[in-house]
Amino acid sequence: METQCQRVKLNDGHFIPILGFGTYAPEEVPKSEALEVTKFAIEVGFRHIDSAHAYRNEEQVGQAIRSKIADGTVKREDIFYTSKLWSTSLQPELVQSALEKSLKSLQLDYVDLYLIHTPVPLKPGEEILPTGEDGKLILDSVDLRHTWEALEKCKDAGLTKSIGVSNFNHKQLEKILNKPGLKYRPVCNQVECHPYLNQSKLLEFCKSHDIVLVAYGALGAQRSSKWVNPNYPILLEDPVLCAIAKKHKQTPALVALRYQIQRGVVVLAKSYNKKRIRENIQVFDFELTPEDMETIDGINRNMRYYEFLPVIDHPEYPYSEEY
C-alpha cells in the first residue's frame, strides 16, 4: 500500500505526495458526502487531501481526517492537507484570520500547504461570490506581493508548513519571485492541467524556479459545474487516451493521471464515486512508454474547462497571458 506515498520534495524542504485527493464538489452535492468520501480516500491509501475555504466543506474534510487519526489508520504527520486563501481575503490584514478560520473549521493545528486560491481579489466580506445589483461580481484590488508577505508570516507562525499559489500565470509568479526582501518562494502553482491543456510552457517555467506544478481538473471537468463550458469535448472520451488505456488494460482516467506523474506534476484526482476513488490509487501499478507520453503531448489543444469568465475584466485575470 505504500507505493502511493511517492513524494516530491518542495523548495522549502517539505515533501508532497505526488497523488492527491480533490474534495471539490458542486453545491448540489450534500456536504455530508465530503466526510464519507474523504474517509474512504484515506482508507484506500490517499495521503494528500486538497480542499479550500471556498469549497465550504472544510468542517467535513477535517472531521474525516481526524476520525482516521482517531481510529489509528494514520497519524497527523502522514496526512498532507492543503487549504486555500479565498479571493475575498487577499488584503494582507485579512490573511491570517482567514487561515485561522479554516483551522477552526478543520479542528487542526496547522495545514501542510496554504495557497492563494486565485490572483483576482474580490470585495472582502462573508460571501464567497460578492455580487452587485447588476448581478456582476464585485472586484477589488490588492498588491499580491503584500498578500504574499502575509502568507510568509503564517508560515513563520507555524499555521502552515508550506505556502504557494494557484491559478497564477508566469508573470504573476515572477512578480513574487522578484519581490525585494522575499523570504520564501512559492513551493507550487496549482493550475488546471490535463492532456487538452498540458501547460508545457508554464511547467517548464515552474521547473526552472524549483516550483512544483499541481494539476487540478486532471480528468477534465464536471459538466454540472457552472464554471464549465458545456460544449467542450469530454476529455475521458478522447480516442487517443482510450486507445492507450486499452493497450495497458487501464482506464482513460488512470492514463490521464499517470501522464502527469511521469512529467513530475503533482496530480489531484477528484471523485465522489467510491469505485473510482479506489481505482485512481492504482496509478502506480503501471507505466506509460516514452511513445505514449509523446502521443498524449500531441493531443494538447490549449483548452480550458475553467475559464473564470466572470472576472475576465480584472487586470489580474490570469489567462490573458499565453502561460
Side-chain angles (χ1 to χ4, degrees):
M1 279 308 273
E2 286 316 295
T3 43
Q4 64 272 19
C5 296
Q6 222 175 302
R7 298 184 310 163
V8 173
K9 192 174 187 179
L10 300 170
N11 64 34
D12 64 357
H14 291 293
F15 288 83
I16 186 170
I18 199 160
L19 177 68
F21 178 68
T23 66
Y24 173 76
E27 273 160 45
E28 60 273 14
V29 176
K31 294 290 170 241
S32 57
E33 279 193 38
L35 170 61
E36 280 313 298
V37 297
T38 304
K39 281 203 293 200
F40 184 75
I42 295 170
E43 283 160 16
V44 300
F46 279 91
R47 294 295 175 262
H48 167 184
I49 312 288
D50 181 275
S51 187
H53 170 68
Y55 302 169
R56 300 184 174 100
N57 64 9
E58 287 197 297
E59 203 179 310
Q60 291 77 17
V61 172
Q63 204 184 328
I65 293 169
R66 284 180 294 105
S67 87
K68 291 287 108 192
I69 293 170
D71 73 7
T73 307
V74 287
K75 298 187 183 73
R76 172 64 185 94
E77 57 272 23
D78 299 329
I79 294 290
F80 188 100
Y81 176 78
T82 301
S83 184
K84 308 182 193 86
L85 175 73
W86 183 237
S87 302
T88 51
S89 302
L90 296 193
Q91 299 299 340
E93 65 280 5
L94 301 176
V95 172
Q96 186 170 328
S97 55
L99 174 49
E100 285 168 345
K101 197 174 172 182
S102 278
L103 289 170
K104 197 180 168 188
S105 298
L106 294 155
Q107 292 182 38
L108 296 175
D109 298 329
Y110 66 89
V111 300
D112 295 274
L113 178 59
Y114 199 50
L115 307 180
I116 298 178
H117 202 149
T118 115
V120 179
L122 297 174
K123 183 190 139 213
E126 286 305 300
E127 285 177 282
I128 300 280
L129 298 172
T131 312
E133 311 262 287
D134 59 0
K136 288 199 168 116
L137 286 177
I138 308 170
L139 305 172
D140 196 16
S141 69
V142 70
D143 184 332
L144 291 164
R145 291 171 297 193
H146 296 157
T147 311
W148 186 252
E149 285 163 4
L151 261 83
E152 291 179 325
K153 290 191 176 88
C154 290
K155 175 171 161 73
D156 282 335
L159 300 173
T160 180
K161 302 268 188 200
S162 300
I163 50 177
V165 299
S166 177
N167 299 305
F168 274 46
N169 62 41
H170 84 284
K171 289 204 166 147
Q172 292 166 325
L173 274 170
E174 255 169 2
K175 203 170 160 185
I176 288 178
L177 293 169
N178 297 333
K179 187 185 87 65
L182 181 71
K183 191 166 184 187
Y184 305 115
R185 279 178 298 164
V187 297
C188 72
N189 185 16
Q190 184 183 129
V191 294
E192 179 182 345
C193 184
H194 45 74
Y196 283 170
L197 179 73
N198 72 20
Q199 299 278 21
S200 55
K201 286 189 173 166
L202 187 59
L203 177 58
E204 204 175 316
F205 176 85
C206 287
K207 280 185 172 173
S208 72
H209 292 279
D210 200 13
I211 293 169
V212 168
L213 197 88
V214 179
Y216 73 76
L219 304 174
Q222 285 157 318
R223 277 292 175 282
S224 59
S225 171
K226 62 170 180 259
W227 298 102
V228 174
N229 185 328
N231 306 315
Y232 281 173
I234 296 172
L235 176 74
L236 299 181
E237 290 176 3
D238 184 88
V240 171
L241 284 185
C242 290
I244 292 173
K246 198 172 174 185
K247 181 178 92 173
H248 289 278
K249 300 188 169 57
Q250 303 291 343
T251 63
L254 279 169
V255 171
L257 295 174
R258 183 73 207 178
Y259 170 68
Q260 302 294 5
I261 287 174
Q262 289 186 212
R263 309 163 82 206
V265 169
V266 170
V267 65
L268 301 176
K270 184 177 72 191
S271 176
Y272 268 53
N273 172 309
K274 286 187 173 177
K275 179 176 170 286
R276 291 199 284 265
I277 294 170
R278 188 190 291 278
E279 188 181 274
N280 289 342
I281 202 100
Q282 292 162 5
V283 71
F284 299 104
D285 299 347
F286 74 105
E287 221 170 307
L288 296 169
T289 65
E291 296 76 44
D292 293 333
M293 292 295 290
E294 212 173 298
T295 306
I296 299 169
D297 281 338
I299 66 173
N300 178 55
R301 41 178 94 179
N302 296 323
M303 193 193 84
R304 253 176 229 290
Y305 288 104
Y306 298 96
E307 297 173 292
F308 300 120
L309 295 176
V311 296
I312 198 162
D313 297 328
H314 194 282
E316 292 288 2
Y317 178 73
Y319 310 139
S320 315
E321 285 294 321
E322 187 203 349
Y323 70 97

